[in-house]
């Protein structure tokens, strides 16, 4: 996320006809309150393979505001 680290990439949501990756499946939160959310590929900034890091254009607040099994989105305008 833009303001720190949060979550672990656990999989991908794939279109069953085109095989295009539609979203990243991410587990976020501490183990006792963990939830799975989706992060759309449009919010993907870059992948740093050497560090096993996926950077996305979302904040911790965006992630925390996302309901379980829903797609995260920016909650506030950024400029």
């Amino acid at each position: 996320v833009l303001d720190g680290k949060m979550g672990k990439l656990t999989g991908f949501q794939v279109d069953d006809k085109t095989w295009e990756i539609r979203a990243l499946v991410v587990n976020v939160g501490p183990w006792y309150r963990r939830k799975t959310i989706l992060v759309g590929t449009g919010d993907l900034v870059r992948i740093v393979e050497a560090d096993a890091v996926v950077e996305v254009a979302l904040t911790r607040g965006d992630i925390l505001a996302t309901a379980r099994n829903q797609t995260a989105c920016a909650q506030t305008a950024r400029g």
Side-chain angles (χ1 to χ4, degrees):
V1 294
L2 295 172
D3 51 355
K5 294 181 180 179
M6 179 171 230
K8 181 178 180 179
L9 177 66
T10 59
F12 303 95
Q13 186 181 64
V14 178
D15 183 289
D16 64 349
K17 292 184 178 37
T18 66
W19 291 95
E20 180 180 354
I21 295 174
R22 297 287 184 192
L24 310 175
V25 180
V26 181
N27 282 335
V28 296
W31 66 269
Y32 57 89
R33 289 184 42 207
R34 188 161 307 268
K35 66 180 176 181
T36 299
I37 64 164
L38 302 174
V39 175
T41 55
D43 289 313
L44 180 63
V45 173
R46 71 183 181 139
I47 298 171
V48 184
E49 187 176 352
D51 297 330
V53 171
V54 177
E55 294 181 4
V56 296
L58 299 167
T59 65
R60 291 177 69 83
D62 297 334
I63 300 298
L64 292 172
T66 304
R68 185 179 306 274
N69 298 319
Q70 297 299 309
T71 301
C73 62
Q75 301 296 312
T76 57
R78 301 197 221 312

